[in-house]
Amino acid sequence: MSFTAFVDGPFWYFSATVFLIGVLWRLVGMLSMGSKPDFSTPRKSGTAAAIGINLTRFFPRADFWSRIRLQVVAGYLFHLGLFALLFFAAPHIEFYREYITGFGWTALPEWAFILVSEIAFLGLMLLILHRMLNPVTRAISDRGDYIGSLLIFLVMLTGCLALARSHEVLRVTHFFLAELLLIYFPFSALMHTFTFPFSRGFMGAHYGRRGVNV
Amino acid sequence: MAIDMNVFRGFAEQIKMLPQMARPTDCPDNERVNHLKAVFSTKIDASNATQLESCVHCGLCAEACQFYIQTEDPELTPIHKLDLLKRYYRREKAPLRWLHRLIEPDITEADLEATQHLVYESCTECGRCGLVCPMGIDIAAMVHVTREGLAHAGLIPAGLRAVEQEQGSRGTVFGVGPDQLRQAAEELRAKGHEVPIDKAKADVLVLTSTIDVLLFKDALEATVKVMNHLGLDWTIHSCAFEGANFGLLSGYSEVQKSASERITSQAIALGAKMVIVPECGHAYPALRWAGANAHGAPLPFEVMALSEFLGREVMAGRLQLNPIGTGKHVTYHDPCKIGRHGGVFDEPRAVLEALGVDMREMPSNRTANFCCGGGAGLFVMEKAEPMRNAAFDLKRQQVEATGADSVVTACGSCRINLMAGAGRTQWTTPIESLVELVGANLK
């Protein structure tokens, strides 16, 4: 079996399986720990607050803006750019149609693809530089943070290089790295993609019961 | 409303002596880690798990922390304070614990000692860091879990341990028990106030605190005046008057529960419909939010912070106040445990509005308010002094930015820390009690 066939076939199924089972394993493992009952009389609904914080927490409080704007802007550039690339890049839509959904949807025009790629790259680079240069993030970051950042950077880089699809080796390299990222994902802090609604929800409910909008 | 500064200085001296009064812990050195793990094991739940798993090490929490803002020391980054809990979680509870055990070392006694300073003397559990976290990680709650673990491992700082031990063994705080309460009541009676102590039945059980009995006597007097002015069927009970809960502050849950249950059982015996917590920040969540869980069932009475009660009475029109005058410019310091952790924001402001003062909010106010620096027991921890000072300096900047003539608050610990800072820096802005302002201006 050629490397291309391996990447397009068995390794794809293997990485997708590790990703799905790993994510589910961790989520179910965390949530099955349950919570003790809270007998205090709530001031307001915790459930409403859990939902509310999941929306409001996308927008940082004005109180903190002057101290956190770089991280917030960089974070938004990266995450929005990555989201657009993941779900609206023509080659990805074609991939989803062929391997997962069976149907496709409207893709970004090529100029928009290039634009969002640059936006995502800019955001990612700023975040990596901030992690390396800021005394706080440098002190609290671990190997996993750098491995995740590096993998995402390489996946995005090879993805952009493979855009023209004129070189099969670039496409296969991009796909292979994306598969490595899928395997790494459930073992890493990239899991925040799925855990943040729960994390926010628990906090929102805790404070919401007390009538505090956090 | 003058405070006897000799008493204040004496109180400060007494706090300095606390470490010498602490008894040795009964936890053997070689059992510390096991005791900590036993506590962590019972405390980790889905909430902690999803929050510990969500951190991306963005460091934003540091930008909300008064101690980091003032010192720029990365060691004080709030999420870093959870490293011990996180390591326990990863190795013992996480779905991937089998993997983490291969790559992360086990917890050692040295790790516990290294964490003690971070969660006790460098964190007031104010919760401001939780406001900025994009993942919604409630760091303060998990700092408290870490305190609970360390407390059961015998690693409560000596000053705080001395008071916790006193409250746990004798039921008193700073030596204030039923006799001292009765003496304070006699002093108030001599001034012409009716002070019902130990009534068999009452609608309202009023708590006070050692700080009010010893130091802020005017706050206690004002509380008595308000209760009588409103014509309530109320009492203070000599067996259950102390609102402060050093079990909660230290993380020693057995003392927290016994202190809380003492009040709850007395309130039930009285047939009380309401328990009013004094101007003591942590006393409010200790009973209002944690009391029912210590009791194991919903409390059959309402729990109100004094500032909350005053505001409610004002808003309902039952409590009318003489306006002080619009020439008085004040700012209000929200005690973290009553505001951000308790949801009491509008009520004290309603009181100030009724007093007719010119209210000026600090740049960071209400939910985003900065802690005074003395919360969560820091005011009795000797080694926390640099942190308290740093927080005070920031709070002073916040107050001065308003141009207010005085700062009003509704927490005795906040007052102590602000007064200590004012004394250190020769800051002349008055630090006033909300209930004292009310007591002096009853219509």
Side-chain angles (χ1 to χ4, degrees), chain A residues 25-26 33-34 36 38-39 41 43 57 63-64 67 71 131 136-137 140 142 145 192 195 199-200 202-203 207 210 212, chain B residues 42 45-46 50-51 53-54 56-58 60 63 93 95 128 130-131 133-136 138 284 288 293 308 341-343:
Chain A
W25 177 269
R26 273 183 83 176
M33 291 180 196
K36 286 181 183 162
D38 187 344
F39 294 111
T41 306
R43 206 188 288 279
R57 202 40 79 99
D63 306 274
F64 305 115
R67 296 187 66 90
Q71 296 100 305
R131 188 176 292 289
V136 168
T137 44
I140 63 176
D142 57 26
D145 297 317
H192 75 271
T195 56
S199 176
R200 285 183 183 178
F202 280 119
M203 183 184 188
Y207 283 91
R210 300 178 177 207
V212 182
Chain B
T42 63
D45 61 7
T50 52
Q51 296 189 349
E53 298 261 20
S54 293
V56 292
H57 299 150
C58 68
L60 291 186
E63 305 301 336
K93 293 282 187 178
R128 199 168 187 270
L131 298 179
C133 176
M135 299 297 143
D138 189 358
Y284 181 56
R288 173 67 176 87
N293 295 325
E308 180 183 19
H341 289 278

Short mmCIF file of all heavy atoms in Angstrom, two decimals, chain A residues 25-26 33-34 36 38-39 41 43 57 63-64 67 71 131 136-137 140 142 145 192 195 199-200 202-203 207 210 212, chain B residues 42 45-46 50-51 53-54 56-58 60 63 93 95 128 130-131 133-136 138 284 288 293 308 341-343:
data_model
loop_
_atom_site.label_atom_id
_atom_site.label_comp_id
_atom_site.label_asym_id
_atom_site.label_seq_id
_atom_site.Cartn_x
_atom_site.Cartn_y
_atom_site.Cartn_z
N TRP A 25 -15.03 9.61 25.25
CA TRP A 25 -14.51 9.02 26.48
C TRP A 25 -14.25 10.11 27.53
O TRP A 25 -14.65 9.99 28.69
CB TRP A 25 -13.22 8.27 26.17
CG TRP A 25 -12.55 7.65 27.37
CD1 TRP A 25 -11.59 8.22 28.16
CD2 TRP A 25 -12.79 6.36 27.92
NE1 TRP A 25 -11.22 7.38 29.16
CE2 TRP A 25 -11.94 6.22 29.05
CE3 TRP A 25 -13.63 5.30 27.58
CZ2 TRP A 25 -11.92 5.06 29.81
CZ3 TRP A 25 -13.60 4.15 28.35
CH2 TRP A 25 -12.76 4.04 29.46
N ARG A 26 -13.60 11.15 27.09
CA ARG A 26 -13.27 12.21 28.06
C ARG A 26 -14.52 12.96 28.51
O ARG A 26 -14.69 13.24 29.71
CB ARG A 26 -12.26 13.20 27.45
CG ARG A 26 -10.84 12.75 27.67
CD ARG A 26 -9.84 13.74 27.14
NE ARG A 26 -9.56 14.84 28.06
CZ ARG A 26 -8.66 15.79 27.81
NH1 ARG A 26 -7.96 15.75 26.69
NH2 ARG A 26 -8.46 16.75 28.68
N MET A 33 -19.07 12.26 36.53
CA MET A 33 -18.68 12.48 37.94
C MET A 33 -19.82 13.12 38.72
O MET A 33 -19.82 13.10 39.96
CB MET A 33 -17.43 13.37 38.01
CG MET A 33 -16.19 12.68 37.51
SD MET A 33 -14.75 13.74 37.61
CE MET A 33 -13.62 12.86 36.54
N GLY A 34 -20.77 13.71 38.03
CA GLY A 34 -21.95 14.24 38.69
C GLY A 34 -21.66 15.43 39.60
O GLY A 34 -20.53 15.91 39.68
N LYS A 36 -22.91 17.28 43.53
CA LYS A 36 -23.69 17.13 44.76
C LYS A 36 -24.87 18.09 44.72
O LYS A 36 -24.77 19.17 44.13
CB LYS A 36 -22.80 17.44 45.97
CG LYS A 36 -21.82 16.33 46.27
CD LYS A 36 -20.98 16.67 47.48
CE LYS A 36 -19.96 15.55 47.69
NZ LYS A 36 -18.86 15.96 48.55
N ASP A 38 -27.34 21.03 45.68
CA ASP A 38 -27.17 22.31 46.38
C ASP A 38 -28.52 22.64 47.03
O ASP A 38 -29.50 22.89 46.34
CB ASP A 38 -26.76 23.40 45.39
CG ASP A 38 -26.40 24.70 46.09
OD1 ASP A 38 -26.76 24.85 47.27
OD2 ASP A 38 -25.77 25.56 45.45
N PHE A 39 -28.54 22.62 48.35
CA PHE A 39 -29.80 22.83 49.07
C PHE A 39 -30.14 24.29 49.31
O PHE A 39 -31.21 24.61 49.83
CB PHE A 39 -29.77 22.10 50.42
CG PHE A 39 -29.70 20.60 50.30
CD1 PHE A 39 -28.56 19.91 50.66
CD2 PHE A 39 -30.78 19.88 49.80
CE1 PHE A 39 -28.48 18.53 50.55
CE2 PHE A 39 -30.72 18.49 49.69
CZ PHE A 39 -29.57 17.81 50.06
N THR A 41 -31.39 28.03 48.83
CA THR A 41 -32.51 28.55 48.06
C THR A 41 -31.98 29.52 47.00
O THR A 41 -31.36 30.53 47.35
CB THR A 41 -33.50 29.30 48.98
OG1 THR A 41 -33.86 28.42 50.04
CG2 THR A 41 -34.74 29.73 48.21
N ARG A 43 -31.54 32.43 44.27
CA ARG A 43 -32.11 33.77 44.05
C ARG A 43 -32.71 33.83 42.64
O ARG A 43 -33.73 34.45 42.41
CB ARG A 43 -31.00 34.81 44.19
CG ARG A 43 -31.46 36.19 44.59
CD ARG A 43 -30.30 37.16 44.49
NE ARG A 43 -29.27 37.01 45.50
CZ ARG A 43 -29.36 37.50 46.74
NH1 ARG A 43 -30.43 38.14 47.13
NH2 ARG A 43 -28.36 37.35 47.58
N ARG A 57 -20.16 35.15 27.50
CA ARG A 57 -18.73 35.00 27.72
C ARG A 57 -17.92 35.11 26.41
O ARG A 57 -16.71 35.17 26.42
CB ARG A 57 -18.46 33.67 28.42
CG ARG A 57 -17.16 33.54 29.19
CD ARG A 57 -16.75 34.77 29.96
NE ARG A 57 -17.43 34.97 31.22
CZ ARG A 57 -16.95 34.66 32.41
NH1 ARG A 57 -15.78 34.10 32.52
NH2 ARG A 57 -17.63 34.95 33.50
N ASP A 63 -14.52 46.04 31.71
CA ASP A 63 -13.62 46.27 32.85
C ASP A 63 -12.19 45.78 32.58
O ASP A 63 -11.24 46.29 33.15
CB ASP A 63 -14.14 45.56 34.10
CG ASP A 63 -15.57 45.94 34.42
OD1 ASP A 63 -15.76 46.94 35.10
OD2 ASP A 63 -16.49 45.23 33.96
N PHE A 64 -12.08 44.75 31.76
CA PHE A 64 -10.78 44.12 31.57
C PHE A 64 -10.14 44.47 30.22
O PHE A 64 -9.01 44.08 29.97
CB PHE A 64 -10.91 42.60 31.66
CG PHE A 64 -11.54 42.13 32.94
CD1 PHE A 64 -12.77 41.49 32.94
CD2 PHE A 64 -10.91 42.34 34.15
CE1 PHE A 64 -13.36 41.07 34.11
CE2 PHE A 64 -11.48 41.92 35.33
CZ PHE A 64 -12.71 41.28 35.32
N ARG A 67 -6.51 45.53 29.41
CA ARG A 67 -5.43 44.63 29.80
C ARG A 67 -5.39 43.34 28.98
O ARG A 67 -4.41 42.60 29.04
CB ARG A 67 -5.55 44.25 31.29
CG ARG A 67 -5.40 45.43 32.25
CD ARG A 67 -5.35 44.95 33.69
NE ARG A 67 -4.17 44.16 33.97
CZ ARG A 67 -3.01 44.67 34.39
NH1 ARG A 67 -2.90 45.97 34.60
NH2 ARG A 67 -1.97 43.89 34.61
N GLN A 71 -4.76 39.51 23.54
CA GLN A 71 -5.12 38.10 23.53
C GLN A 71 -6.51 37.88 22.93
O GLN A 71 -6.73 36.92 22.20
CB GLN A 71 -5.11 37.52 24.95
CG GLN A 71 -3.75 37.52 25.62
CD GLN A 71 -3.61 38.67 26.58
OE1 GLN A 71 -3.79 39.83 26.20
NE2 GLN A 71 -3.29 38.37 27.82
N ARG A 131 2.35 33.54 23.88
CA ARG A 131 2.63 32.42 24.81
C ARG A 131 4.12 32.35 25.13
O ARG A 131 4.52 32.07 26.26
CB ARG A 131 2.15 31.11 24.19
CG ARG A 131 2.24 29.93 25.13
CD ARG A 131 1.66 28.65 24.56
NE ARG A 131 0.23 28.66 24.37
CZ ARG A 131 -0.68 28.61 25.33
NH1 ARG A 131 -0.30 28.60 26.58
NH2 ARG A 131 -1.98 28.60 25.05
N VAL A 136 3.61 35.60 32.01
CA VAL A 136 2.57 34.75 32.61
C VAL A 136 2.35 33.50 31.78
O VAL A 136 2.42 32.37 32.29
CB VAL A 136 1.25 35.53 32.76
CG1 VAL A 136 0.10 34.59 33.09
CG2 VAL A 136 1.38 36.59 33.86
N THR A 137 2.09 33.68 30.49
CA THR A 137 1.80 32.50 29.66
C THR A 137 3.04 31.61 29.54
O THR A 137 2.92 30.38 29.48
CB THR A 137 1.29 32.92 28.27
OG1 THR A 137 2.11 33.98 27.78
CG2 THR A 137 -0.14 33.37 28.34
N ILE A 140 3.07 29.46 32.70
CA ILE A 140 2.01 28.46 32.94
C ILE A 140 1.82 27.49 31.78
O ILE A 140 1.08 26.52 31.90
CB ILE A 140 0.66 29.14 33.27
CG1 ILE A 140 0.15 29.98 32.09
CG2 ILE A 140 0.76 29.97 34.54
CD1 ILE A 140 -1.23 30.59 32.33
N ASP A 142 2.56 24.48 29.12
CA ASP A 142 3.28 23.21 29.19
C ASP A 142 3.56 22.70 27.77
O ASP A 142 3.18 23.33 26.79
CB ASP A 142 2.51 22.18 30.02
CG ASP A 142 1.09 21.94 29.48
OD1 ASP A 142 0.87 22.15 28.27
OD2 ASP A 142 0.22 21.56 30.27
N ASP A 145 0.75 22.57 25.20
CA ASP A 145 0.32 23.80 24.54
C ASP A 145 1.14 24.05 23.27
O ASP A 145 0.62 24.47 22.24
CB ASP A 145 0.49 24.99 25.49
CG ASP A 145 -0.40 24.86 26.72
OD1 ASP A 145 -1.56 24.47 26.57
OD2 ASP A 145 0.09 25.13 27.83
N HIS A 192 -10.80 21.69 24.81
CA HIS A 192 -11.62 22.83 25.24
C HIS A 192 -12.69 23.15 24.21
O HIS A 192 -13.70 23.77 24.52
CB HIS A 192 -10.75 24.05 25.54
CG HIS A 192 -10.22 24.75 24.33
ND1 HIS A 192 -9.03 24.42 23.73
CD2 HIS A 192 -10.72 25.78 23.59
CE1 HIS A 192 -8.82 25.21 22.69
NE2 HIS A 192 -9.83 26.05 22.56
N THR A 195 -15.34 21.11 25.80
CA THR A 195 -15.63 21.23 27.24
C THR A 195 -16.07 22.63 27.64
O THR A 195 -16.70 22.80 28.68
CB THR A 195 -14.39 20.86 28.09
OG1 THR A 195 -13.29 21.68 27.70
CG2 THR A 195 -14.02 19.39 27.92
N SER A 199 -18.03 23.94 31.04
CA SER A 199 -17.28 24.72 32.03
C SER A 199 -17.99 26.05 32.29
O SER A 199 -18.23 26.44 33.44
CB SER A 199 -15.86 24.95 31.49
OG SER A 199 -15.13 25.77 32.34
N ARG A 200 -18.32 26.73 31.21
CA ARG A 200 -19.04 27.99 31.37
C ARG A 200 -20.39 27.76 32.05
O ARG A 200 -20.80 28.54 32.92
CB ARG A 200 -19.31 28.61 29.99
CG ARG A 200 -18.10 29.24 29.34
CD ARG A 200 -18.52 29.88 28.02
NE ARG A 200 -17.39 30.45 27.31
CZ ARG A 200 -17.48 31.03 26.12
NH1 ARG A 200 -18.66 31.12 25.52
NH2 ARG A 200 -16.42 31.53 25.52
N PHE A 202 -21.43 25.42 34.13
CA PHE A 202 -21.36 25.16 35.57
C PHE A 202 -21.10 26.45 36.34
O PHE A 202 -21.69 26.69 37.39
CB PHE A 202 -20.25 24.14 35.88
CG PHE A 202 -20.66 22.71 35.63
CD1 PHE A 202 -20.00 21.93 34.71
CD2 PHE A 202 -21.71 22.15 36.34
CE1 PHE A 202 -20.37 20.60 34.48
CE2 PHE A 202 -22.10 20.83 36.13
CZ PHE A 202 -21.43 20.05 35.19
N MET A 203 -20.19 27.27 35.81
CA MET A 203 -19.89 28.51 36.51
C MET A 203 -21.10 29.45 36.48
O MET A 203 -21.45 30.07 37.49
CB MET A 203 -18.69 29.20 35.88
CG MET A 203 -18.27 30.46 36.62
SD MET A 203 -16.93 31.29 35.79
CE MET A 203 -16.54 32.53 37.01
N TYR A 207 -23.10 30.92 39.91
CA TYR A 207 -23.28 32.33 40.25
C TYR A 207 -24.71 32.79 39.94
O TYR A 207 -25.24 33.68 40.63
CB TYR A 207 -22.26 33.20 39.51
CG TYR A 207 -20.90 33.14 40.13
CD1 TYR A 207 -19.96 32.19 39.72
CD2 TYR A 207 -20.53 33.99 41.17
CE1 TYR A 207 -18.71 32.11 40.31
CE2 TYR A 207 -19.29 33.92 41.77
CZ TYR A 207 -18.38 32.98 41.33
OH TYR A 207 -17.14 32.90 41.92
N ARG A 210 -27.09 32.63 42.59
CA ARG A 210 -26.88 33.69 43.58
C ARG A 210 -27.30 35.06 43.05
O ARG A 210 -27.11 36.07 43.72
CB ARG A 210 -25.40 33.72 43.97
CG ARG A 210 -24.94 32.41 44.59
CD ARG A 210 -23.47 32.42 44.94
NE ARG A 210 -23.10 31.16 45.58
CZ ARG A 210 -22.11 31.01 46.44
NH1 ARG A 210 -21.36 32.04 46.76
NH2 ARG A 210 -21.85 29.84 46.98
N VAL A 212 -26.03 36.54 40.44
CA VAL A 212 -24.89 37.31 39.92
C VAL A 212 -24.66 36.94 38.46
O VAL A 212 -24.53 35.76 38.11
CB VAL A 212 -23.61 37.01 40.74
CG1 VAL A 212 -22.45 37.84 40.22
CG2 VAL A 212 -23.84 37.29 42.21
N THR B 42 -13.24 13.64 47.46
CA THR B 42 -14.68 13.88 47.68
C THR B 42 -15.15 15.18 47.02
O THR B 42 -16.34 15.38 46.86
CB THR B 42 -14.99 13.99 49.19
OG1 THR B 42 -14.31 15.13 49.72
CG2 THR B 42 -14.55 12.74 49.92
N ASP B 45 -15.89 17.01 41.17
CA ASP B 45 -17.14 16.63 40.53
C ASP B 45 -17.11 17.07 39.06
O ASP B 45 -16.07 17.49 38.56
CB ASP B 45 -18.33 17.25 41.28
CG ASP B 45 -18.30 18.77 41.28
OD1 ASP B 45 -17.44 19.35 40.61
OD2 ASP B 45 -19.15 19.38 41.96
N ALA B 46 -18.23 16.95 38.40
CA ALA B 46 -18.26 17.27 36.97
C ALA B 46 -17.91 18.72 36.71
O ALA B 46 -17.29 19.05 35.70
CB ALA B 46 -19.65 16.95 36.41
N THR B 50 -14.73 19.52 34.30
CA THR B 50 -14.82 20.21 33.01
C THR B 50 -14.02 21.51 33.05
O THR B 50 -13.45 21.92 32.04
CB THR B 50 -16.28 20.51 32.63
OG1 THR B 50 -16.92 21.19 33.70
CG2 THR B 50 -17.03 19.25 32.29
N GLN B 51 -13.98 22.14 34.22
CA GLN B 51 -13.25 23.40 34.30
C GLN B 51 -11.74 23.17 34.29
O GLN B 51 -11.00 23.90 33.62
CB GLN B 51 -13.70 24.17 35.55
CG GLN B 51 -15.17 24.57 35.42
CD GLN B 51 -15.66 25.51 36.49
OE1 GLN B 51 -14.99 25.75 37.47
NE2 GLN B 51 -16.86 26.04 36.30
N GLU B 53 -10.30 20.75 32.89
CA GLU B 53 -9.94 20.24 31.55
C GLU B 53 -10.03 21.33 30.48
O GLU B 53 -9.58 21.12 29.36
CB GLU B 53 -10.89 19.10 31.16
CG GLU B 53 -10.82 17.88 32.07
CD GLU B 53 -9.97 16.77 31.49
OE1 GLU B 53 -9.16 17.05 30.61
OE2 GLU B 53 -10.15 15.62 31.94
N SER B 54 -10.64 22.45 30.81
CA SER B 54 -10.88 23.46 29.79
C SER B 54 -9.78 24.50 29.68
O SER B 54 -9.76 25.28 28.72
CB SER B 54 -12.21 24.19 30.06
OG SER B 54 -13.30 23.31 29.89
N VAL B 56 -6.76 26.61 28.75
CA VAL B 56 -5.83 26.63 27.62
C VAL B 56 -4.58 27.46 27.95
O VAL B 56 -3.83 27.82 27.07
CB VAL B 56 -6.51 27.17 26.34
CG1 VAL B 56 -7.57 26.18 25.86
CG2 VAL B 56 -7.13 28.55 26.59
N HIS B 57 -4.42 27.78 29.22
CA HIS B 57 -3.24 28.53 29.67
C HIS B 57 -3.09 29.85 28.93
O HIS B 57 -2.01 30.19 28.47
CB HIS B 57 -1.97 27.67 29.50
CG HIS B 57 -2.01 26.40 30.30
ND1 HIS B 57 -1.37 25.26 29.92
CD2 HIS B 57 -2.63 26.11 31.47
CE1 HIS B 57 -1.57 24.31 30.82
NE2 HIS B 57 -2.34 24.81 31.78
N CYS B 58 -4.20 30.56 28.82
CA CYS B 58 -4.15 31.85 28.12
C CYS B 58 -3.63 32.95 29.03
O CYS B 58 -3.19 34.01 28.54
CB CYS B 58 -5.54 32.22 27.60
SG CYS B 58 -6.74 32.61 28.90
N LEU B 60 -5.24 34.97 30.97
CA LEU B 60 -6.08 36.15 31.16
C LEU B 60 -6.45 36.34 32.63
O LEU B 60 -6.65 37.47 33.08
CB LEU B 60 -7.36 36.05 30.33
CG LEU B 60 -7.20 36.14 28.80
CD1 LEU B 60 -8.57 36.18 28.13
CD2 LEU B 60 -6.40 37.36 28.40
N GLU B 63 -4.72 38.94 34.55
CA GLU B 63 -5.03 40.34 34.29
C GLU B 63 -6.22 40.84 35.11
O GLU B 63 -6.53 42.03 35.09
CB GLU B 63 -5.29 40.55 32.79
CG GLU B 63 -4.15 40.08 31.89
CD GLU B 63 -2.83 40.79 32.17
OE1 GLU B 63 -2.87 41.91 32.71
OE2 GLU B 63 -1.76 40.22 31.87
N LYS B 93 -8.40 11.06 38.92
CA LYS B 93 -9.82 11.13 38.57
C LYS B 93 -10.09 11.28 37.07
O LYS B 93 -11.16 10.90 36.61
CB LYS B 93 -10.46 12.34 39.28
CG LYS B 93 -10.54 12.22 40.78
CD LYS B 93 -11.69 11.32 41.18
CE LYS B 93 -11.88 11.33 42.69
NZ LYS B 93 -13.03 10.51 43.10
N PRO B 95 -10.46 11.04 33.09
CA PRO B 95 -10.67 9.89 32.22
C PRO B 95 -9.35 9.35 31.64
O PRO B 95 -9.24 8.17 31.36
CB PRO B 95 -11.57 10.45 31.11
CG PRO B 95 -12.28 11.61 31.74
CD PRO B 95 -11.30 12.19 32.71
N ARG B 128 -12.62 37.42 41.11
CA ARG B 128 -12.56 38.34 39.98
C ARG B 128 -11.96 37.65 38.75
O ARG B 128 -12.34 37.94 37.62
CB ARG B 128 -11.74 39.57 40.37
CG ARG B 128 -11.97 40.78 39.48
CD ARG B 128 -11.35 42.03 40.09
NE ARG B 128 -11.72 43.21 39.33
CZ ARG B 128 -11.03 43.70 38.32
NH1 ARG B 128 -9.92 43.11 37.94
NH2 ARG B 128 -11.43 44.78 37.67
N GLY B 130 -12.44 34.75 37.72
CA GLY B 130 -13.46 33.98 37.01
C GLY B 130 -14.24 34.80 36.02
O GLY B 130 -14.84 34.27 35.08
N LEU B 131 -14.25 36.11 36.21
CA LEU B 131 -15.02 36.97 35.31
C LEU B 131 -14.38 37.09 33.94
O LEU B 131 -15.06 37.36 32.96
CB LEU B 131 -15.14 38.39 35.90
CG LEU B 131 -15.85 38.57 37.23
CD1 LEU B 131 -15.83 40.03 37.63
CD2 LEU B 131 -17.27 38.06 37.15
N CYS B 133 -12.14 34.77 32.57
CA CYS B 133 -11.76 33.50 31.94
C CYS B 133 -12.69 33.17 30.78
O CYS B 133 -13.90 33.01 30.98
CB CYS B 133 -11.79 32.36 32.97
SG CYS B 133 -11.45 30.75 32.22
N PRO B 134 -12.15 33.02 29.57
CA PRO B 134 -13.03 32.72 28.44
C PRO B 134 -13.68 31.34 28.54
O PRO B 134 -14.70 31.09 27.91
CB PRO B 134 -12.10 32.81 27.22
CG PRO B 134 -10.72 32.71 27.75
CD PRO B 134 -10.74 33.19 29.16
N MET B 135 -13.09 30.46 29.34
CA MET B 135 -13.64 29.12 29.49
C MET B 135 -14.64 29.04 30.64
O MET B 135 -15.28 28.03 30.84
CB MET B 135 -12.52 28.10 29.74
CG MET B 135 -11.51 28.02 28.64
SD MET B 135 -12.26 27.46 27.10
CE MET B 135 -11.35 28.46 25.93
N GLY B 136 -14.73 30.09 31.43
CA GLY B 136 -15.65 30.07 32.56
C GLY B 136 -15.15 29.18 33.69
O GLY B 136 -15.92 28.40 34.26
N ASP B 138 -14.12 28.62 37.34
CA ASP B 138 -14.33 29.26 38.64
C ASP B 138 -13.11 28.96 39.52
O ASP B 138 -13.13 28.06 40.37
CB ASP B 138 -15.62 28.73 39.28
CG ASP B 138 -16.00 29.52 40.52
OD1 ASP B 138 -15.26 30.44 40.91
OD2 ASP B 138 -17.06 29.20 41.10
N TYR B 284 -21.83 35.89 55.24
CA TYR B 284 -23.04 35.78 54.41
C TYR B 284 -23.05 34.50 53.58
O TYR B 284 -23.96 33.68 53.75
CB TYR B 284 -23.17 37.03 53.53
CG TYR B 284 -24.41 37.02 52.66
CD1 TYR B 284 -25.68 36.89 53.21
CD2 TYR B 284 -24.31 37.14 51.28
CE1 TYR B 284 -26.81 36.87 52.42
CE2 TYR B 284 -25.44 37.14 50.48
CZ TYR B 284 -26.69 36.99 51.04
OH TYR B 284 -27.80 36.97 50.25
N ARG B 288 -25.79 31.80 54.01
CA ARG B 288 -26.79 31.94 52.93
C ARG B 288 -26.64 30.84 51.88
O ARG B 288 -27.62 30.31 51.37
CB ARG B 288 -26.66 33.32 52.29
CG ARG B 288 -27.52 33.55 51.04
CD ARG B 288 -29.00 33.54 51.38
NE ARG B 288 -29.84 33.83 50.23
CZ ARG B 288 -30.29 32.92 49.37
NH1 ARG B 288 -29.95 31.65 49.54
NH2 ARG B 288 -31.07 33.24 48.35
N ASN B 293 -26.28 23.43 52.79
CA ASN B 293 -25.55 22.20 52.47
C ASN B 293 -24.91 21.60 53.72
O ASN B 293 -24.81 20.37 53.84
CB ASN B 293 -24.50 22.50 51.39
CG ASN B 293 -25.17 22.92 50.09
OD1 ASN B 293 -26.23 22.43 49.74
ND2 ASN B 293 -24.56 23.86 49.39
N GLU B 308 -28.23 43.93 52.69
CA GLU B 308 -29.36 43.47 51.87
C GLU B 308 -30.68 43.77 52.58
O GLU B 308 -31.63 44.28 51.98
CB GLU B 308 -29.21 41.96 51.64
CG GLU B 308 -30.28 41.32 50.80
CD GLU B 308 -30.07 39.80 50.70
OE1 GLU B 308 -29.33 39.24 51.55
OE2 GLU B 308 -30.65 39.19 49.80
N HIS B 341 -20.00 37.22 45.20
CA HIS B 341 -20.37 35.86 45.62
C HIS B 341 -21.77 35.79 46.22
O HIS B 341 -22.21 34.71 46.60
CB HIS B 341 -19.37 35.32 46.64
CG HIS B 341 -18.03 35.00 46.06
ND1 HIS B 341 -17.75 33.84 45.41
CD2 HIS B 341 -16.88 35.72 46.02
CE1 HIS B 341 -16.48 33.84 45.00
NE2 HIS B 341 -15.94 34.98 45.36
N GLY B 342 -22.42 36.93 46.35
CA GLY B 342 -23.70 36.91 47.05
C GLY B 342 -24.85 37.55 46.31
O GLY B 342 -26.01 37.30 46.63
N GLY B 343 -24.55 38.36 45.33
CA GLY B 343 -25.62 38.96 44.53
C GLY B 343 -26.24 40.19 45.16
O GLY B 343 -27.30 40.65 44.72
#
